[in-house]
Amino acid sequence: MTYSIGQVAEQYNLSIHTLRYYEKEGILPFVKRTPSGIRKFDDDALEGLRVVECLKKTNMPLKDIKVFLDWCQEGNGTLEKRRDMFYEQKQAVLDQIAELQETLKLIDFKCWYYDSALELGSEEEIRKIPLEEMPEEIQELYRESHGEFSQDSME
């Protein structure tokens, strides 16, 4: 089955302009054209685009994605390079996840803080709550942060 550039743009939530740009930059070497020049995406092209979009979500620059695609075109001689690249991206994603988990902890704290301030009527009332009377997950944030949060600077 083949798909038009408009269908692919809609399916991947990309603009037609973006898909044309990718093709111009060599990011979509697998896209075929009809004799009249109309782009046609087959299932292999969609799979290739899925990999490109996955790598983009890992914050890999387009120039590095292009290198990967060039390696794919070169064949089996680049299997090790391609595998190593994915292991590097995997580690980068794990690092991003860990960083986001830490960010989420602070956001969780702030949600609790402002929910509590609204419930108690003021921020001053929260500052009066002894640490041991705060919810366990909030106490855990204090322990993990090694004093990064102090009751005097909870705002």
Side-chain angles (χ1 to χ4, degrees):
M1 186 161 185
T2 61
Y3 308 88
S4 71
I5 194 169
Q7 290 170 316
V8 173
E10 186 175 328
Q11 182 177 345
Y12 283 83
N13 198 27
L14 297 168
S15 70
I16 290 173
H17 174 77
T18 297
L19 291 170
R20 288 180 180 146
Y21 176 77
Y22 283 178
E23 186 181 27
K24 180 179 154 250
E25 295 298 313
I27 304 298
L28 300 178
F30 32 77
V31 175
K32 312 266 189 299
R33 287 184 179 254
T34 66
S36 60
I38 296 172
R39 293 170 185 86
K40 285 294 177 187
F41 292 75
D42 60 16
D43 290 334
D44 289 338
L46 292 183
E47 178 60 22
L49 181 57
R50 190 169 73 82
V51 172
V52 166
E53 287 301 294
C54 172
L55 292 173
K56 267 187 51 200
K57 288 176 185 173
T58 70
N59 296 320
M60 179 180 269
L62 282 179
K63 67 179 180 63
D64 293 344
I65 294 172
K66 170 80 168 85
V67 169
F68 165 72
L69 293 168
D70 291 344
W71 289 340
C72 292
Q73 298 289 322
E74 290 175 30
N76 289 334
T78 62
L79 285 172
E80 188 173 352
K81 289 179 185 179
R82 289 183 268 162
R83 182 211 50 206
D84 291 350
M85 184 217 67
F86 271 98
Y87 274 106
E88 288 173 20
Q89 284 310 111
K90 179 180 179 178
Q91 187 57 54
V93 169
L94 290 171
D95 292 346
Q96 289 171 355
I97 290 169
E99 187 176 319
L100 287 171
Q101 296 265 344
E102 288 302 309
T103 300
L104 183 58
K105 288 178 184 178
L106 178 58
I107 290 171
D108 284 342
F109 170 78
K110 293 307 236 176
C111 288
W112 170 83
Y113 177 88
Y114 289 113
D115 284 345
S116 298
L118 287 166
E119 185 178 314
L120 296 172
S122 73
E123 293 180 84
E124 291 74 26
E125 293 301 312
I126 295 173
R127 293 189 190 107
K128 294 177 185 176
I129 302 172
L131 182 61
E132 55 277 355
E133 291 181 20
M134 292 180 183
E136 184 61 38
E137 60 272 12
I138 300 303
Q139 291 179 39
E140 189 65 31
L141 286 172
Y142 276 87
R143 287 187 210 104
E144 288 179 11
S145 65
H146 303 288
E148 207 173 301
F149 300 124
S150 70
Q151 277 193 280
D152 292 336
S153 64
M154 277 203 266
E155 329 175 334

